[in-house]
């Protein structure tokens, strides 16, 4: 049997490279949508904590428990050492953990 020499006929619609490019485009859009939803959720949670703290700052008398909780919340926020310019997942995890803890304080105070 003789083999033909030359290039293999690459059809654009059957090309694995084109398929990969299409899939990577979809993955990029999914990443952006997911990141946007994730940051919006964290931003909303931080907004709720800000609102709660603002309400407490104008309410007058604070109980010892509330004062201790506010001090703990301040410590949590100040301990976050992130490097946003690096875009590291571990920084997002730290921020997420702090926001989760802050929400816990707020929910406990409201019950």
């Amino acid at each position: 049997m003789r083999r033909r020499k030359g290039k293999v006929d690459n059809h654009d619609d059957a090309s694995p490279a084109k398929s990969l490019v299409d899939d990577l485009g979809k993955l990029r859009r999914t990443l952006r949508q997911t990141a946007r939803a994730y940051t919006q959720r964290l931003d909303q949670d931080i907004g709720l904590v800000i609102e709660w703290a603002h309400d407490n700052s104008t309410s007058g008398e604070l109980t010892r428990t509330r004062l201790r909780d506010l001090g703990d919340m301040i410590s949590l926020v100040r301990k976050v050492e992130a490097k946003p310019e690096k875009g590291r997942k571990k920084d997002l995890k730290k921020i997420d953990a702090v926001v989760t803890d802050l929400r816990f304080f707020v929910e406990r105070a409201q019950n």
Side-chain angles (χ1 to χ4, degrees):
M1 285 188 130
R2 285 186 153 178
R3 293 180 123 187
R4 274 192 194 178
K5 292 184 180 179
K7 293 184 179 180
V8 177
D9 187 19
N10 282 337
H11 298 285
D12 282 340
D13 58 343
S15 169
K18 178 156 179 12
S19 179
L20 177 61
V21 168
D22 291 343
D23 290 346
L24 288 171
K26 290 175 187 174
L27 181 62
R28 178 182 271 170
R29 283 189 294 281
T30 300
L31 168 67
R32 289 177 178 164
Q33 290 171 345
T34 303
R36 190 171 20 257
Y38 180 72
T39 56
Q40 285 175 347
R41 180 185 58 82
L42 287 175
D43 193 60
Q44 287 174 351
D45 287 349
I46 291 171
L48 291 173
V49 175
I50 289 170
E51 185 179 321
W52 177 83
H54 184 266
D55 291 347
N56 277 282
S57 70
T58 58
S59 68
E61 289 291 319
L62 295 173
T63 65
R64 284 185 187 174
T65 304
R66 185 71 44 90
L67 284 171
R68 187 185 66 239
D69 286 349
L70 287 168
D72 291 344
M73 293 168 82
I74 291 168
S75 295
L76 281 171
V77 172
R78 289 182 180 169
K79 285 183 182 177
V80 175
E81 293 182 15
K83 297 179 181 172
E85 66 280 357
K86 291 192 174 187
R88 299 182 304 188
K89 185 169 47 171
K90 77 178 196 176
D91 290 339
L92 287 174
K93 283 183 176 183
K94 287 179 191 177
I95 293 168
D96 193 325
V98 167
V99 171
T100 300
D101 291 346
L102 294 172
R103 284 294 309 263
F104 172 76
F105 280 109
V106 170
E107 290 169 4
R108 187 175 70 186
Q110 291 175 341
N111 290 335

